[in-house]
Amino acid sequence: PDCETENTAEDETCMAGCDTERPAPAEEEDLDDAYHHIKVGKILTSEDVNDTLKKLSIDVGRSSGPVTIVTNAPNAHEGRHVVVALPGAEPEGVPGPIKKATVGGVPSEGMLCNPSMLSWSGGGATGAALVPTT
């Protein structure tokens, strides 16, 4: 039974016979949440800037399209899912909030997080935190 269409917003349990509690309504987005500006994204393209830097185009699910991130992470390759700190994010170990910056002469809209910035164990300081696709 479809509880949402058979109940009113004030009902605490499903009236369609399933006797389950109604889920709590979603709270408004908390822009002050420490993780609000940290997203998982898929690397769409990678272009070498110089011997160490790459310019990445990453889909983080924004309607405005992909973001550009410049990084030296050796494991950042097309098709991989990475953790992205967008402007306003405050990853662990980074002084102050992330801001847009020019890196190697290229505008960058944030940075890739390494595992320690997310309080994850393992991984290197120069490698991006990777997220499995399955």
Side-chain angles (χ1 to χ4, degrees):
D2 186 358
C3 295
E4 290 299 316
T5 59
E6 296 180 33
N7 284 5
T8 65
E10 293 79 28
D11 294 330
E12 290 183 18
T13 57
C14 174
M15 296 177 66
C18 59
D19 294 326
T20 59
E21 288 190 27
R22 175 180 292 280
E27 294 183 22
E28 289 189 28
E29 201 170 15
D30 182 1
L31 299 179
D32 292 329
D33 177 4
Y35 297 101
H36 173 76
H37 301 286
I38 296 179
K39 308 288 184 192
V40 172
K42 181 178 182 180
I43 300 175
L44 303 175
T45 62
S46 175
E47 176 185 330
D48 288 339
V49 173
N50 57 35
D51 289 343
T52 57
L53 295 175
K54 300 178 214 178
K55 174 184 164 186
L56 308 175
S57 175
I58 303 176
D59 179 3
V60 293
R62 293 180 8 179
S63 60
S64 59
V67 296
T68 299
I69 303 289
V70 179
T71 185
N72 66 347
N75 62 344
H77 304 291
E78 288 181 23
R80 289 203 164 159
H81 288 80
V82 293
V83 181
V84 180
L86 298 172
E90 298 186 51
E92 194 170 306
V94 176
I98 299 297
K99 298 177 183 174
K100 291 182 181 182
T102 299
V103 180
V106 179
S108 184
E109 300 174 73
M111 67 183 294
L112 298 185
C113 292
N114 67 34
S116 66
M117 291 176 184
L118 303 167
S119 299
W120 294 358
S121 60
T126 61
L130 301 178
V131 179
T133 56
T134 57

Coordinates of all heavy atoms in Angstrom, one line a residue, residues 24-115:
A24 N 10.2 10.4 9.6 CA 10.3 11.8 9.9 C 10.5 12.7 8.7 O 11.2 12.3 7.8 CB 11.5 12.1 10.9
P25 N 9.8 13.8 8.6 CA 10.0 14.7 7.4 C 11.4 15.2 7.3 O 12.1 15.3 8.3 CB 9.1 15.9 7.7 CG 8.8 15.9 9.2 CD 9.0 14.5 9.6
A26 N 11.9 15.3 6.1 CA 13.3 15.8 5.9 C 13.4 17.2 6.4 O 12.6 18.0 6.2 CB 13.6 15.8 4.4
E27 N 14.5 17.4 7.1 CA 14.8 18.7 7.7 C 15.4 19.6 6.6 O 15.9 19.1 5.6 CB 15.7 18.6 8.9 CG 15.1 17.9 10.0 CD 16.0 17.8 11.2 OE1 16.9 18.7 11.3 OE2 15.8 17.0 12.1
E28 N 15.3 20.9 6.8 CA 15.9 21.8 5.8 C 17.4 21.6 5.7 O 18.0 21.2 6.7 CB 15.5 23.2 6.1 CG 14.1 23.6 5.9 CD 13.8 25.0 6.1 OE1 14.7 25.8 5.8 OE2 12.7 25.4 6.4
E29 N 18.0 21.8 4.6 CA 19.4 21.7 4.4 C 20.2 22.5 5.4 O 19.9 23.7 5.5 CB 19.7 22.1 3.0 CG 21.0 21.5 2.5 CD 21.1 21.7 1.0 OE1 20.4 22.5 0.4 OE2 22.0 21.1 0.4
D30 N 21.1 22.0 6.1 CA 21.9 22.7 7.1 C 23.2 23.1 6.4 O 24.1 22.3 6.2 CB 22.2 21.8 8.3 CG 23.0 22.5 9.3 OD1 23.3 23.7 9.2 OD2 23.3 21.8 10.4
L31 N 23.3 24.4 6.0 CA 24.4 24.9 5.3 C 25.7 25.0 6.2 O 26.8 25.2 5.7 CB 24.1 26.2 4.6 CG 23.0 26.2 3.6 CD1 22.8 27.6 3.0 CD2 23.3 25.2 2.5
D32 N 25.5 24.9 7.5 CA 26.6 25.0 8.4 C 27.1 23.6 8.8 O 28.1 23.5 9.5 CB 26.1 25.7 9.7 CG 25.9 27.2 9.5 OD1 26.5 27.8 8.6 OD2 25.0 27.7 10.2
D33 N 26.5 22.6 8.2 CA 27.0 21.2 8.5 C 28.4 21.1 7.9 O 28.7 21.5 6.8 CB 26.1 20.2 7.7 CG 26.5 18.8 7.9 OD1 27.5 18.5 8.6 OD2 25.8 17.9 7.2
A34 N 29.3 20.5 8.7 CA 30.7 20.4 8.3 C 30.9 19.6 7.0 O 31.9 19.8 6.3 CB 31.5 19.7 9.4
Y35 N 29.9 18.8 6.6 CA 30.1 18.0 5.4 C 29.2 18.5 4.2 O 29.2 17.9 3.2 CB 29.8 16.5 5.6 CG 30.7 15.9 6.6 CD1 30.4 15.8 8.0 CD2 32.0 15.6 6.2 CE1 31.3 15.3 8.9 CE2 32.9 15.1 7.1 CZ 32.6 14.9 8.4 OH 33.5 14.4 9.3
H36 N 28.5 19.6 4.4 CA 27.6 20.1 3.3 C 28.4 20.4 2.0 O 27.8 20.1 1.0 CB 26.9 21.4 3.8 CG 26.1 22.0 2.7 ND1 24.9 21.5 2.3 CD2 26.3 23.1 1.9 CE1 24.5 22.2 1.3 NE2 25.3 23.2 1.1
H37 N 29.5 20.9 2.1 CA 30.3 21.3 0.9 C 31.3 20.2 0.5 O 32.1 20.4 -0.4 CB 31.1 22.6 1.1 CG 30.2 23.7 1.5 ND1 29.4 24.3 0.6 CD2 29.9 24.3 2.7 CE1 28.7 25.3 1.2 NE2 29.0 25.3 2.5
I38 N 31.1 19.0 1.0 CA 31.9 17.8 0.6 C 31.1 16.9 -0.2 O 30.0 16.4 0.3 CB 32.6 17.2 1.8 CG1 33.6 18.2 2.5 CG2 33.3 15.9 1.4 CD1 34.3 17.7 3.7
K39 N 31.5 16.6 -1.4 CA 30.6 15.8 -2.3 C 31.4 14.6 -2.9 O 32.7 14.7 -3.0 CB 30.1 16.6 -3.5 CG 29.4 17.9 -3.1 CD 28.1 17.6 -2.5 CE 27.4 18.9 -2.2 NZ 26.2 18.8 -1.4
V40 N 30.8 13.6 -3.3 CA 31.4 12.5 -4.1 C 31.1 12.9 -5.5 O 30.0 13.2 -5.9 CB 30.8 11.1 -3.7 CG1 31.3 10.1 -4.7 CG2 31.2 10.8 -2.3
G41 N 32.1 12.8 -6.3 CA 32.0 13.1 -7.7 C 32.7 12.1 -8.6 O 33.6 11.4 -8.2
K42 N 32.3 12.1 -9.9 CA 32.9 11.2 -10.9 C 33.8 12.1 -11.8 O 33.3 13.1 -12.4 CB 31.9 10.5 -11.7 CG 32.5 9.6 -12.7 CD 31.4 8.8 -13.5 CE 32.0 7.8 -14.5 NZ 31.0 7.1 -15.2
I43 N 35.0 11.7 -12.0 CA 36.0 12.4 -12.8 C 35.5 12.1 -14.3 O 35.6 11.0 -14.7 CB 37.4 12.0 -12.6 CG1 37.8 12.3 -11.1 CG2 38.3 12.7 -13.6 CD1 39.2 11.8 -10.8
L44 N 35.2 13.2 -15.0 CA 34.7 13.1 -16.4 C 35.9 13.2 -17.3 O 36.0 12.4 -18.3 CB 33.7 14.1 -16.7 CG 32.4 14.1 -15.8 CD1 31.5 15.3 -16.2 CD2 31.7 12.8 -16.0
T45 N 36.8 14.1 -17.1 CA 37.9 14.3 -17.9 C 39.2 14.7 -17.1 O 39.0 15.2 -16.0 CB 37.7 15.5 -19.0 OG1 37.5 16.7 -18.3 CG2 36.6 15.2 -19.9
S46 N 40.3 14.4 -17.6 CA 41.6 14.7 -17.0 C 42.5 15.3 -18.0 O 42.7 14.7 -19.1 CB 42.2 13.5 -16.3 OG 43.5 13.8 -15.8
E47 N 43.1 16.4 -17.7 CA 44.1 17.1 -18.7 C 45.3 17.5 -17.9 O 45.2 18.2 -16.9 CB 43.3 18.3 -19.3 CG 44.1 19.1 -20.2 CD 43.3 20.4 -20.6 OE1 42.1 20.3 -20.7 OE2 44.0 21.4 -20.9
D48 N 46.5 17.1 -18.4 CA 47.7 17.5 -17.8 C 47.9 19.0 -17.9 O 47.8 19.6 -19.0 CB 48.9 16.8 -18.4 CG 49.0 15.3 -18.1 OD1 48.4 14.9 -17.1 OD2 49.6 14.6 -18.8
V49 N 48.3 19.7 -16.8 CA 48.6 21.1 -16.8 C 50.1 21.2 -16.9 O 50.6 22.1 -17.6 CB 48.1 21.7 -15.5 CG1 48.6 23.2 -15.3 CG2 46.6 21.7 -15.4
N50 N 50.8 20.4 -16.2 CA 52.3 20.3 -16.2 C 52.7 18.9 -15.8 O 51.9 18.0 -15.8 CB 52.9 21.5 -15.4 CG 52.5 21.4 -14.0 OD1 52.3 20.4 -13.4 ND2 52.4 22.6 -13.4
D51 N 54.0 18.8 -15.4 CA 54.5 17.5 -15.0 C 53.8 16.9 -13.8 O 53.8 15.6 -13.6 CB 56.0 17.5 -14.7 CG 56.8 17.7 -16.0 OD1 56.2 17.5 -17.1 OD2 58.0 18.1 -15.9
T52 N 53.2 17.7 -12.9 CA 52.6 17.2 -11.7 C 51.1 17.5 -11.5 O 50.5 16.8 -10.8 CB 53.4 17.7 -10.4 OG1 53.3 19.2 -10.5 CG2 54.8 17.3 -10.4
L53 N 50.6 18.5 -12.2 CA 49.3 18.9 -12.0 C 48.3 18.5 -13.1 O 48.7 18.4 -14.3 CB 49.2 20.5 -11.9 CG 49.8 21.1 -10.7 CD1 49.7 22.6 -10.8 CD2 49.2 20.6 -9.4
K54 N 47.1 18.1 -12.7 CA 46.1 17.7 -13.7 C 44.8 18.6 -13.5 O 44.5 19.0 -12.3 CB 45.6 16.3 -13.4 CG 46.6 15.3 -13.6 CD 46.0 13.9 -13.2 CE 47.0 13.0 -12.6 NZ 46.4 11.7 -12.2
K55 N 44.2 19.0 -14.5 CA 42.9 19.7 -14.5 C 41.8 18.7 -14.7 O 41.8 18.0 -15.8 CB 42.9 20.8 -15.6 CG 41.6 21.5 -15.7 CD 41.7 22.5 -16.9 CE 40.3 22.9 -17.3 NZ 40.3 23.8 -18.5
L56 N 41.0 18.6 -13.7 CA 39.9 17.6 -13.8 C 38.5 18.3 -14.0 O 38.3 19.3 -13.4 CB 39.8 16.8 -12.5 CG 41.1 16.1 -12.0 CD1 40.9 15.5 -10.7 CD2 41.6 15.1 -13.1
S57 N 37.7 17.6 -14.7 CA 36.3 18.0 -14.8 C 35.5 16.9 -14.0 O 35.6 15.8 -14.4 CB 35.8 18.1 -16.2 OG 34.4 18.4 -16.3
I58 N 34.8 17.3 -13.0 CA 34.2 16.4 -12.1 C 32.7 16.7 -11.9 O 32.3 17.8 -11.6 CB 34.8 16.4 -10.7 CG1 36.3 16.2 -10.8 CG2 34.2 15.4 -9.7 CD1 37.1 16.3 -9.5
D59 N 31.9 15.6 -12.1 CA 30.4 15.7 -11.9 C 30.1 15.5 -10.5 O 30.3 14.3 -10.0 CB 29.7 14.7 -12.8 CG 28.2 14.7 -12.6 OD1 27.7 15.5 -11.9 OD2 27.5 13.9 -13.2
V60 N 29.7 16.5 -9.7 CA 29.3 16.4 -8.3 C 27.8 16.5 -8.1 O 27.3 16.7 -7.0 CB 30.1 17.4 -7.4 CG1 31.5 17.1 -7.4 CG2 29.8 18.8 -7.9
G61 N 27.1 16.4 -9.2 CA 25.6 16.4 -9.2 C 25.0 17.8 -9.1 O 23.8 17.9 -8.8
R62 N 25.7 18.8 -9.5 CA 25.2 20.2 -9.5 C 24.5 20.4 -10.8 O 25.0 20.0 -11.9 CB 26.3 21.2 -9.2 CG 26.8 21.1 -7.8 CD 27.9 22.0 -7.4 NE 28.3 23.1 -8.3 CZ 29.2 24.0 -8.0 NH1 29.8 23.9 -6.9 NH2 29.5 24.9 -8.9
S63 N 23.3 21.1 -10.7 CA 22.6 21.4 -12.0 C 23.4 22.4 -12.9 O 23.2 22.4 -14.1 CB 21.2 22.0 -11.6 OG 21.4 23.2 -10.9
S64 N 24.3 23.1 -12.3 CA 25.1 24.0 -13.1 C 26.2 23.3 -13.9 O 27.0 23.9 -14.6 CB 25.7 25.1 -12.2 OG 26.5 24.5 -11.2
G65 N 26.4 22.0 -13.7 CA 27.3 21.2 -14.4 C 28.6 20.9 -13.6 O 28.6 21.1 -12.4
P66 N 29.5 20.3 -14.3 CA 30.7 19.8 -13.6 C 31.6 20.9 -13.0 O 31.5 22.1 -13.5 CB 31.5 19.0 -14.6 CG 30.8 19.2 -15.9 CD 29.6 20.0 -15.7
V67 N 32.4 20.6 -12.0 CA 33.3 21.6 -11.4 C 34.7 21.3 -12.0 O 35.0 20.1 -12.3 CB 33.3 21.5 -9.9 CG1 32.0 22.0 -9.4 CG2 33.7 20.2 -9.3
T68 N 35.6 22.3 -12.0 CA 37.0 22.1 -12.4 C 37.8 22.1 -11.1 O 37.7 23.0 -10.3 CB 37.4 23.3 -13.3 OG1 36.6 23.3 -14.5 CG2 38.9 23.1 -13.7
I69 N 38.6 21.1 -11.0 CA 39.5 20.9 -9.8 C 40.9 20.7 -10.4 O 41.1 19.8 -11.3 CB 39.1 19.7 -8.9 CG1 37.7 19.8 -8.4 CG2 40.1 19.6 -7.8 CD1 37.5 20.9 -7.4
V70 N 41.9 21.4 -9.9 CA 43.3 21.2 -10.3 C 44.0 20.4 -9.1 O 43.8 20.8 -7.9 CB 44.0 22.5 -10.6 CG1 45.5 22.2 -10.9 CG2 43.4 23.2 -11.7
T71 N 44.6 19.3 -9.4 CA 45.2 18.5 -8.4 C 46.5 17.9 -8.8 O 46.8 17.8 -10.0 CB 44.2 17.3 -8.0 OG1 44.7 16.6 -6.9 CG2 44.0 16.4 -9.2
N72 N 47.3 17.4 -7.8 CA 48.5 16.7 -8.0 C 48.3 15.2 -7.6 O 49.3 14.5 -7.5 CB 49.7 17.3 -7.3 CG 49.6 17.2 -5.8 OD1 48.6 17.0 -5.3 ND2 50.7 17.5 -5.2
A73 N 47.1 14.8 -7.3 CA 46.8 13.4 -6.8 C 47.1 12.4 -7.9 O 46.5 12.5 -9.0 CB 45.4 13.3 -6.4
P74 N 48.1 11.5 -7.7 CA 48.5 10.6 -8.7 C 47.4 9.6 -9.1 O 47.5 9.0 -10.2 CB 49.7 10.0 -8.2 CG 49.6 10.1 -6.7 CD 48.8 11.4 -6.4
N75 N 46.5 9.4 -8.2 CA 45.5 8.3 -8.5 C 44.1 8.9 -9.0 O 43.1 8.2 -9.1 CB 45.2 7.5 -7.2 CG 44.7 8.3 -6.1 OD1 44.8 9.5 -6.1 ND2 44.1 7.6 -5.1
A76 N 44.1 10.2 -9.4 CA 42.9 10.8 -10.0 C 42.9 10.6 -11.5 O 43.6 11.2 -12.2 CB 42.9 12.3 -9.6
H77 N 42.0 9.7 -11.9 CA 41.9 9.3 -13.3 C 40.4 9.3 -13.7 O 39.5 9.1 -12.9 CB 42.5 7.9 -13.6 CG 43.9 7.7 -13.1 ND1 44.9 8.3 -13.7 CD2 44.4 7.0 -12.1 CE1 46.1 8.0 -13.1 NE2 45.8 7.2 -12.1
E78 N 40.2 9.5 -15.0 CA 38.9 9.5 -15.6 C 38.1 8.3 -15.2 O 38.7 7.2 -15.1 CB 38.9 9.6 -17.1 CG 39.3 10.9 -17.7 CD 39.4 11.0 -19.2 OE1 38.7 10.2 -19.8 OE2 40.1 11.8 -19.7
G79 N 36.8 8.5 -14.8 CA 36.0 7.4 -14.4 C 36.0 7.1 -13.0 O 35.1 6.4 -12.5
R80 N 36.9 7.5 -12.2 CA 37.0 7.2 -10.8 C 36.1 8.2 -10.0 O 35.8 9.3 -10.4 CB 38.4 7.4 -10.3 CG 39.3 6.3 -10.8 CD 40.5 6.1 -9.9 NE 41.2 4.8 -10.1 CZ 42.4 4.5 -9.8 NH1 43.1 5.5 -9.2 NH2 42.9 3.4 -10.1
H81 N 35.6 7.7 -8.9 CA 34.8 8.5 -8.0 C 35.7 9.0 -6.8 O 36.3 8.1 -6.2 CB 33.6 7.6 -7.4 CG 32.6 7.3 -8.5 ND1 32.7 6.4 -9.4 CD2 31.4 7.9 -8.7 CE1 31.7 6.4 -10.2 NE2 30.9 7.3 -9.8
V82 N 35.7 10.2 -6.6 CA 36.5 10.9 -5.6 C 35.7 11.8 -4.7 O 34.6 12.1 -5.0 CB 37.6 11.7 -6.3 CG1 38.6 10.9 -7.1 CG2 37.0 12.8 -7.3
V83 N 36.3 12.1 -3.6 CA 35.7 13.0 -2.6 C 36.2 14.4 -2.9 O 37.4 14.7 -2.9 CB 35.9 12.6 -1.2 CG1 35.2 13.5 -0.2 CG2 35.5 11.2 -1.0
V84 N 35.2 15.4 -3.1 CA 35.6 16.8 -3.5 C 35.2 17.7 -2.4 O 34.0 17.7 -1.9 CB 34.8 17.1 -4.8 CG1 35.2 18.5 -5.2 CG2 35.2 16.1 -5.9
A85 N 36.1 18.6 -2.0 CA 35.8 19.7 -1.1 C 35.5 20.9 -1.9 O 36.4 21.4 -2.5 CB 36.9 19.9 -0.1
L86 N 34.3 21.4 -1.9 CA 33.9 22.6 -2.6 C 34.1 23.8 -1.7 O 34.3 23.7 -0.5 CB 32.5 22.5 -3.1 CG 32.2 21.3 -4.0 CD1 30.7 21.2 -4.3 CD2 32.9 21.6 -5.3
P87 N 34.1 25.0 -2.3 CA 34.3 26.2 -1.5 C 33.3 26.2 -0.3 O 32.1 25.9 -0.4 CB 33.9 27.4 -2.4 CG 34.4 26.8 -3.8 CD 34.0 25.4 -3.7
G88 N 33.9 26.5 0.9 CA 33.1 26.5 2.2 C 33.4 25.3 3.0 O 33.1 25.3 4.2
A89 N 33.9 24.2 2.4 CA 34.2 23.0 3.1 C 35.4 23.3 4.1 O 36.2 24.1 3.8 CB 34.5 21.9 2.2
E90 N 35.4 22.5 5.2 CA 36.5 22.6 6.1 C 37.0 21.2 6.5 O 36.8 20.8 7.6 CB 36.0 23.4 7.4 CG 35.6 24.8 7.1 CD 35.3 25.6 8.3 OE1 36.1 25.6 9.2 OE2 34.2 26.2 8.3
P91 N 37.7 20.6 5.5 CA 38.2 19.3 5.8 C 39.3 19.3 6.9 O 40.0 20.3 7.1 CB 38.9 18.8 4.5 CG 38.6 19.9 3.5 CD 38.0 21.1 4.2
E92 N 39.4 18.2 7.6 CA 40.3 18.1 8.7 C 41.7 18.3 8.2 O 42.2 17.8 7.2 CB 40.2 16.6 9.3 CG 40.8 16.5 10.6 CD 40.5 15.2 11.2 OE1 39.3 14.9 11.4 OE2 41.4 14.4 11.6
G93 N 42.5 19.1 9.0 CA 43.9 19.4 8.7 C 44.1 20.5 7.7 O 45.3 20.8 7.3
V94 N 43.1 21.1 7.2 CA 43.2 22.2 6.2 C 42.9 23.5 7.0 O 41.8 23.6 7.5 CB 42.3 22.0 5.0 CG1 42.3 23.2 4.1 CG2 42.6 20.7 4.3
P95 N 43.8 24.5 7.0 CA 43.5 25.7 7.7 C 42.4 26.5 7.0 O 42.6 26.9 5.8 CB 44.8 26.4 7.8 CG 45.6 25.8 6.6 CD 45.1 24.5 6.4
G96 N 41.4 26.8 7.7 CA 40.3 27.6 7.1 C 39.5 26.9 6.1 O 39.8 25.8 5.6
P97 N 38.4 27.5 5.7 CA 37.5 26.9 4.6 C 38.1 26.9 3.3 O 39.0 27.8 2.9 CB 36.2 27.8 4.7 CG 36.6 29.1 5.3 CD 37.8 28.8 6.2
I98 N 37.8 26.0 2.5 CA 38.2 25.9 1.1 C 37.7 27.1 0.3 O 36.5 27.5 0.5 CB 37.8 24.6 0.4 CG1 38.3 23.4 1.2 CG2 38.1 24.5 -1.1 CD1 39.8 23.2 1.2
K99 N 38.5 27.6 -0.6 CA 38.1 28.7 -1.4 C 38.5 28.4 -2.9 O 39.3 27.6 -3.1 CB 38.8 30.0 -1.0 CG 38.5 30.5 0.4 CD 39.3 31.7 0.7 CE 39.0 32.1 2.2 NZ 39.8 33.2 2.6
K100 N 37.8 29.1 -3.8 CA 38.2 29.0 -5.2 C 39.6 29.6 -5.3 O 40.0 30.5 -4.6 CB 37.3 29.7 -6.1 CG 35.9 29.1 -6.3 CD 35.1 29.9 -7.2 CE 33.7 29.3 -7.4 NZ 32.9 30.0 -8.3
A101 N 40.5 29.0 -6.1 CA 41.9 29.5 -6.2 C 42.4 29.2 -7.6 O 41.8 28.4 -8.4 CB 42.7 28.7 -5.2
T102 N 43.5 29.8 -8.0 CA 44.2 29.5 -9.2 C 45.4 28.7 -8.9 O 46.2 29.1 -8.0 CB 44.6 30.8 -9.9 OG1 43.4 31.6 -10.2 CG2 45.3 30.5 -11.2
V103 N 45.4 27.5 -9.5 CA 46.5 26.5 -9.2 C 47.2 26.2 -10.5 O 46.6 25.8 -11.5 CB 46.0 25.2 -8.6 CG1 47.1 24.3 -8.3 CG2 45.1 25.6 -7.3
G104 N 48.5 26.5 -10.6 CA 49.3 26.3 -11.8 C 48.7 27.1 -13.0 O 48.8 26.7 -14.1
G105 N 48.2 28.3 -12.7 CA 47.6 29.1 -13.7 C 46.2 28.8 -14.2 O 45.7 29.4 -15.1
V106 N 45.6 27.8 -13.5 CA 44.3 27.3 -13.9 C 43.3 27.5 -12.7 O 43.6 27.1 -11.6 CB 44.3 25.8 -14.3 CG1 42.9 25.3 -14.7 CG2 45.3 25.6 -15.4
P107 N 42.1 28.1 -13.0 CA 41.1 28.3 -11.9 C 40.7 26.9 -11.4 O 40.4 26.0 -12.2 CB 40.0 29.0 -12.6 CG 40.5 29.6 -13.8 CD 41.7 28.7 -14.2
S108 N 40.6 26.8 -10.1 CA 40.1 25.5 -9.4 C 39.0 25.8 -8.5 O 39.1 26.8 -7.7 CB 41.3 24.9 -8.7 OG 40.9 23.6 -8.2
E109 N 37.9 25.0 -8.5 CA 36.7 25.3 -7.7 C 36.7 24.5 -6.5 O 35.6 24.2 -6.0 CB 35.5 25.0 -8.6 CG 35.4 25.9 -9.8 CD 34.2 25.5 -10.7 OE1 33.1 25.7 -10.3 OE2 34.5 24.8 -11.7
G110 N 37.8 24.1 -5.9 CA 37.9 23.3 -4.7 C 39.1 22.4 -4.7 O 40.1 22.7 -5.4
M111 N 39.0 21.3 -4.0 CA 40.1 20.4 -4.0 C 39.6 19.0 -3.8 O 38.5 18.8 -3.3 CB 41.1 20.8 -2.9 CG 40.6 20.6 -1.5 SD 41.8 21.2 -0.2 CE 43.1 20.0 -0.4
L112 N 40.5 18.0 -4.1 CA 40.2 16.6 -3.8 C 40.6 16.3 -2.4 O 41.6 16.8 -1.9 CB 40.9 15.6 -4.7 CG 40.6 15.7 -6.2 CD1 41.4 14.6 -7.0 CD2 39.1 15.7 -6.5
C113 N 39.8 15.6 -1.6 CA 40.2 15.2 -0.3 C 41.0 13.9 -0.3 O 40.8 13.0 -1.1 CB 38.9 14.9 0.5 SG 37.9 16.4 0.9
N114 N 42.0 13.9 0.6 CA 42.7 12.6 0.8 C 42.1 12.0 2.0 O 41.2 12.6 2.7 CB 44.2 12.9 1.0 CG 44.6 13.6 2.3 OD1 43.9 13.5 3.3 ND2 45.6 14.4 2.2
P115 N 42.3 10.7 2.3 CA 41.7 10.0 3.3 C 41.7 10.6 4.7 O 40.8 10.7 5.5 CB 42.3 8.6 3.3 CG 42.8 8.4 1.9 CD 43.2 9.8 1.5

